[in-house]
């Protein structure tokens, strides 16, 4: 199980997790590519929770993505934001097929959604399953979700000296956003301290080169820890330059527990860490804000396999469980995680990314059967 993440949600909105409403409205945003195949798996998992846990769900189908942009001219329709804000406690987001070259008027809907909904933390657990041949890994990468280079302020101009094009991007790190992400990372580490008797927070940065932006991130994270020693003093505090962090993460993954990073580094580290546990198809995430939690598998739209019915649904199913943890339904979340772990441990029913021959639905059905 991915360690009672609901504990950390109380730091961003007191009482939301503790209410743990038995009736939830969940937005479903498949997006592009295999998102349309894996989000239904998350819905089936939630529907299966009704009898045992007394949970009931209303589902609202919502639009976003590159295809939505091609169809309507907007990658993130206003109606999607409106419904999420007014009606939903949680949501599941699939994937986005963003073009690699500039398309006039288009920008990533998931980045825009994080800004519009105030989803300031992206929490990505990377955990191996005991009883498999995977190396022992149990880390949570907490990624700041609203700024850094992802504010998408760019410009291209002609250098007056050389007469050639120059492209520039703005990197923004603020004290407010950094304090917020450091706090939720430390709260997650504190919960792991309570569960395991030990916990480590590793702050990742590149302040030896980016002394002002990453320097501020490093300084503020340390201040949040030092200023709250009475609360966080049992947590071991570490720092790691991002390039050496990548090296050590692959060399010694067991050394890392909770890792907090600016937006870009957190994105790269968590995708890379997926290689430690077999596939991006098994790594979940939760976008966390004051009013809503959106589960999101870490994989992309995978256009090479879209429509073939062989996409791995586990990242989405684990993201569904993670969403429930942040909403305070830890028992339901635990049942999902245990069923997924059993499926992976046995290894008989798995999709091609894990070396198997099963379909998306066959894996989903196996996990549903284990939950029952």
């Amino acid at each position: 199980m991915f360690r009672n993440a609901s504990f950390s949600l109380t730091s961003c909105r007191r009482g939301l997790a503790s209410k743990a409403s038995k009736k939830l409205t969940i937005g479903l945003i498949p997006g592009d590519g295999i998102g349309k195949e894996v989000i239904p798996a998350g819905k089936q998992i939630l529907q299966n929770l009704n009898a045992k846990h007394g949970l009931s769900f209303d589902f609202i189908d919502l639009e976003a993505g590159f295809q939505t942009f091609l169809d309507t001219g907007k990658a993130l329709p206003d109606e999607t934001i409106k419904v999420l804000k007014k009606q939903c406690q949680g949501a599941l987001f699939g994937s986005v097929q963003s073009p690699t070259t500039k398309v006039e008027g288009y920008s990533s809907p998931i980045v825009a959604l994080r800004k519009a909904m105030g989803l300031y933390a992206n929490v990505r657990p990377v955990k191996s399953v005991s009883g498999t041949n995977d190396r022992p890994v149990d880390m949570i990468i907490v990624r700041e979700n609203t700024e850094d280079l992802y504010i998408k302020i760019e410009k291209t101009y002609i250098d007056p000296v050389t007469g050639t094009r120059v492209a520039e991007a703005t990197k923004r790190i603020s004290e407010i956003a950094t304090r917020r992400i450091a706090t939720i990372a430390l709260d997650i580490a504190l919960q792991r301290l309570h569960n395991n008797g030990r916990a480590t927070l590793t702050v990742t940065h590149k302040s030896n080169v980016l002394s002002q932006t990453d320097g501020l991130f490093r300084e503020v994270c340390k201040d949040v820890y030092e200023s709250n020693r009475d609360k966080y003093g049992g947590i071991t505090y570490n720092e790691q330059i991002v390039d050496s962090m990548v090296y050590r993460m692959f060399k010694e993954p067991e050394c890392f527990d909770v890792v907090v990073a600016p937006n870009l580094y957190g994105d790269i580290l968590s995708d890379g860490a997926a290689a430690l546990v077999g596939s991006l198809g098994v790594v979940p995430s939760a976008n966390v804000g004051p009013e809503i939690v959106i589960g999101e598998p870490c994989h992309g739209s995978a256009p090479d396999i879209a429509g073939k019915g062989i996409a791995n649904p586990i990242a989405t199913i684990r993201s569904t469980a993670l969403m429930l943890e942040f909403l305070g339904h830890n028992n339901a979340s635990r049942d999902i995680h245990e069923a997924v772990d059993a499926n992976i441990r046995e290894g008989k029913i798995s999709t091609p990314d894990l070396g198997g021959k099963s379909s998306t639905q066959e894996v989903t059905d196996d996990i549903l059967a284990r939950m029952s």
Side-chain angles (χ1 to χ4, degrees):
M1 186 183 70
F2 292 126
R3 308 289 190 240
N4 294 338
S6 58
F7 179 89
S8 63
L9 186 58
T10 59
S11 69
C12 54
R13 186 188 179 198
R14 297 289 173 186
L16 179 59
S18 61
K19 290 178 183 177
S21 172
K22 295 286 187 178
K23 175 76 171 178
L24 296 169
T25 300
I26 305 298
L28 302 176
I29 315 170
D32 301 308
I34 63 171
K36 300 180 185 299
E37 300 168 53
V38 295
I39 291 302
K43 180 180 179 180
Q44 291 176 63
I45 294 295
L46 290 173
Q47 290 172 321
N48 189 66
L49 295 172
N50 289 7
K52 183 174 181 180
H53 296 282
L55 296 173
S56 61
F57 299 91
D58 289 330
F59 299 99
I60 303 177
D61 294 320
L62 299 170
E63 297 292 330
F66 186 59
Q67 187 60 51
T68 300
F69 170 78
L70 294 177
D71 293 341
T72 68
K74 296 195 76 171
L76 181 62
D78 294 339
E79 181 65 16
T80 295
I81 298 172
K82 179 181 176 182
V83 169
L84 289 173
K85 285 185 174 180
K86 292 191 174 183
Q87 300 183 49
C88 299
Q89 294 79 49
L92 297 175
F93 188 98
S95 59
V96 177
Q97 187 174 328
S98 293
T100 55
T101 56
K102 182 179 180 181
V103 175
E104 193 64 37
Y106 176 80
S107 62
S108 171
I110 186 61
V111 173
L113 184 62
R114 290 165 181 165
K115 291 180 180 179
M117 302 301 297
L119 303 170
Y120 69 87
N122 187 256
V123 181
R124 296 188 170 190
V126 182
K127 188 177 186 296
S128 57
V129 175
S130 61
T132 67
N133 293 325
D134 289 335
R135 298 169 67 182
V137 180
D138 186 4
M139 73 176 81
I140 296 182
I141 297 173
V142 183
R143 167 189 171 194
E144 202 290 316
N145 219 18
T146 64
E147 51 182 27
D148 199 5
L149 288 169
Y150 286 68
I151 62 171
K152 296 180 70 64
I153 297 178
E154 299 180 278
K155 62 180 180 180
T156 302
Y157 59 92
I158 302 298
D159 186 293
V161 177
T162 66
T164 58
R165 288 178 297 168
V166 176
E168 292 182 358
T170 299
K171 177 183 173 78
R172 178 178 295 160
I173 301 291
S174 71
E175 181 175 352
I176 290 175
T178 304
R179 286 193 179 279
R180 199 166 50 183
I181 200 67
T183 299
I184 193 171
L186 282 162
D187 281 348
I188 290 172
L190 188 62
Q191 183 64 55
R192 286 163 76 89
L193 178 66
H194 294 331
N195 290 340
N196 303 332
R198 58 182 178 80
T200 298
L201 179 75
T202 302
V203 178
T204 306
H205 59 86
K206 189 67 176 175
S207 65
N208 56 327
V209 175
L210 301 168
S211 59
Q212 294 194 49
T213 50
D214 282 23
L216 180 63
F217 187 85
R218 172 184 175 273
E219 174 189 328
V220 172
C221 285
K222 188 171 184 179
D223 182 65
V224 173
Y225 174 74
E226 294 286 357
S227 299
N228 296 277
R229 279 274 190 174
D230 55 333
K231 181 178 181 181
Y232 301 129
I235 299 167
T236 301
Y237 180 94
N238 290 329
E239 295 181 0
Q240 194 80 46
I241 300 295
V242 66
D243 42 353
S244 61
M245 172 73 197
V246 172
Y247 177 81
R248 288 197 66 204
M249 185 177 72
F250 285 105
K251 189 85 170 174
E252 308 168 290
E254 66 279 359
C255 293
F256 297 103
D257 186 14
V258 179
V259 177
V260 63
N263 207 335
L264 178 62
Y265 305 154
D267 193 3
I268 294 169
L269 287 172
S270 54
D271 280 9
L276 297 168
V277 292
S279 169
L280 269 171
V282 302
V283 178
S285 77
N287 298 283
V288 182
E291 304 294 336
I292 193 170
V293 182
I294 299 183
E296 178 194 2
C298 288
H299 59 67
S301 61
D304 57 322
I305 62 168
K308 296 182 179 180
I310 58 172
N312 194 335
I314 286 178
T316 294
I317 292 171
R318 280 177 162 172
S319 296
T320 302
L322 195 58
M323 176 190 71
L324 290 173
E325 284 188 64
F326 274 101
L327 292 173
H329 296 287
N330 291 334
N331 291 335
S333 176
R334 185 181 301 111
D335 279 359
I336 298 171
H337 286 309
E338 288 177 352
V340 170
D341 287 357
N343 167 273
I344 293 174
R345 188 179 298 112
E346 188 173 284
K348 292 181 179 180
I349 301 177
S350 60
T351 45
D353 59 313
L354 294 179
K357 297 181 180 180
S358 302
S359 68
T360 305
Q361 190 59 53
E362 286 170 338
V363 173
T364 304
D365 288 343
D366 182 67
I367 292 168
L368 286 167
R370 294 175 189 276
M371 289 174 63
S372 298

